Amino acid sequence: LKIGLDASLEQRSENPSGPQQKQTRTETIGVAQLTKADPTSADISSTFAPVLVSKTNSVLSAVLSVEETSSDEEDDKGPYPVLASTKSRLLRTSLMEALRGFLPFAICEQNYWLKYSFKRDGASLEILLHKLRACQHTLIIVESHGQLFGSFTSEHWRKHVGWFGNGEAFLFRKSTKLEVYPFTNSDDLVQYCSSKMLCVGGGDFNKEQSPWNGPTGIGFLLDGDLRGGESQSCATFCNPSLCKPSEFEIDDVEVWTLTPCMAVDEAEKLELHKLFVSEHRRN
């Protein structure tokens, strides 16, 4: 069994056991305008940019663009605490608050907690997974040659035979605007993890051309050494490649989770409690 498109994974000598791809068909059906009332932060524009709406198996998906309006001087001021032992190089406060609008309702007002930093913790997928062992919701953000992009997922990252995950996931990229690519419900190829790679999104377009007129494959992939990866259009999120070129070198990567706690020591105690309960249930 193969995940995503063969070309993306065979280049990395990987042949995991995953579910067969589901047949999908994507058709561009128009342009819509969405507005957002009462934004949670003054750092975010109150209006979404025009949205490309796609039809995938009769399910609408939208590419949402949010324009940030904050200055660098104002960026440290946010409505929620940020839990981090070192200052983030990638996730500015304005970007945090823009992404907050796409998080699941149950956690959208919780606090960001920096769990893994390439610069702080070293380039290792094993270290990353160890840091995330108690984290259900995770935001991965990558920097490559000045480009920022990544994923949000709502199931624990762990090595697993086959794909897993749910429809709360999305992909995003940030340039002058934040572009978010929600789950299309076209397939169930959301998360995949092995010792050699971490992937988000792998559905194909039923051998048809992507609406983005580019190569198709894995939506967001990090190699096991966290030195590089790739991003191509996939039906799971109906996204374009999140970066140029589609195969990228990693300059930096951070992984964040959400916590109801107000301080790192409180968050760590809650995490230890979750791990204890999880281990007790398994035993």
Side-chain angles (χ1 to χ4, degrees):
L1 299 179
K2 302 175 182 178
I3 61 174
L5 297 184
D6 298 341
S8 300
L9 299 179
E10 287 177 354
Q11 292 175 354
R12 290 169 168 72
S13 301
E14 182 75 4
N15 187 24
S17 297
Q20 293 283 358
Q21 301 166 13
K22 295 186 177 180
Q23 301 300 309
T24 62
R25 181 181 179 87
T26 303
E27 175 187 1
T28 301
I29 61 172
V31 176
Q33 180 78 23
L34 299 182
T35 59
K36 182 178 181 180
D38 301 324
T40 58
S41 169
D43 292 339
I44 308 171
S45 170
S46 62
T47 304
F48 286 105
V51 177
L52 170 65
V53 180
S54 300
K55 187 176 183 181
T56 308
N57 284 359
S58 300
V59 177
L60 294 181
S61 65
V63 180
L64 307 177
S65 297
V66 182
E67 187 167 356
E68 297 176 83
T69 58
S70 66
S71 65
D72 291 337
E73 291 77 11
E74 297 173 335
D75 194 59
D76 289 335
K77 302 175 183 178
Y80 301 93
V82 177
L83 282 60
S85 58
T86 58
K87 186 174 181 179
S88 171
R89 297 183 63 256
L90 306 183
L91 198 58
R92 295 172 47 185
T93 302
S94 56
L95 180 53
M96 288 181 182
E97 298 313 308
L99 286 167
R100 192 180 293 279
F102 303 98
L103 299 178
F105 180 77
I107 63 166
C108 67
E109 293 190 355
Q110 292 187 4
N111 303 316
Y112 284 95
W113 181 14
L114 180 60
K115 291 295 296 176
Y116 170 84
S117 168
F118 181 94
K119 302 292 186 182
R120 182 189 69 189
D121 302 312
S124 168
L125 183 58
E126 293 295 331
I127 293 175
L128 184 153
L129 293 175
H130 179 74
K131 293 277 188 180
L132 302 183
R133 65 194 187 280
C135 302
Q136 178 181 356
H137 306 284
T138 49
L139 181 77
I140 302 175
I141 182 167
V142 169
E143 180 183 36
S144 178
H145 299 293
Q147 303 171 96
L148 293 179
F149 52 94
S151 68
F152 172 83
T153 52
S154 281
E155 284 201 21
H156 296 83
W157 280 109
R158 74 275 188 190
K159 295 176 185 177
H160 188 269
V161 178
W163 291 84
F164 58 99
N166 61 46
E168 293 178 337
F170 61 80
L171 298 179
F172 68 91
R173 65 180 177 184
K174 170 68 172 66
S175 53
T176 56
K177 294 181 179 180
L178 169 65
E179 297 176 6
V180 176
Y181 303 92
F183 179 66
T184 64
N185 203 35
S186 68
D187 54 69
D188 56 5
L189 308 184
V190 179
Q191 294 174 244
Y192 178 85
C193 185
S194 72
S195 59
K196 295 184 178 181
M197 66 183 67
L198 179 153
C199 308
V200 183
D204 68 10
F205 293 92
N206 192 25
K207 298 183 180 180
E208 295 188 7
Q209 188 176 30
S210 162
W212 300 98
N213 298 319
T216 59
I218 302 301
F220 177 64
L221 181 152
L222 301 182
D223 288 329
D225 59 5
L226 297 187
R227 297 294 181 181
E230 69 178 47
S231 174
Q232 297 180 337
S233 180
C234 73
T236 311
F237 300 99
C238 197
N239 61 285
S241 174
L242 301 176
C243 60
K244 294 180 180 181
S246 59
E247 290 198 31
F248 57 85
E249 297 178 355
I250 294 176
D251 297 325
D252 201 357
V253 58
E254 294 177 352
V255 185
W256 295 74
T257 190
L258 283 297
T259 176
C261 300
M262 302 293 287
V264 172
D265 57 346
E266 296 174 3
E268 289 175 342
K269 289 179 182 178
L270 179 60
E271 182 176 78
L272 287 173
H273 175 72
K274 290 180 179 179
L275 286 172
F276 175 80
V277 172
S278 175
E279 289 295 328
H280 180 72
R281 286 176 176 172
R282 276 201 290 261
N283 296 331

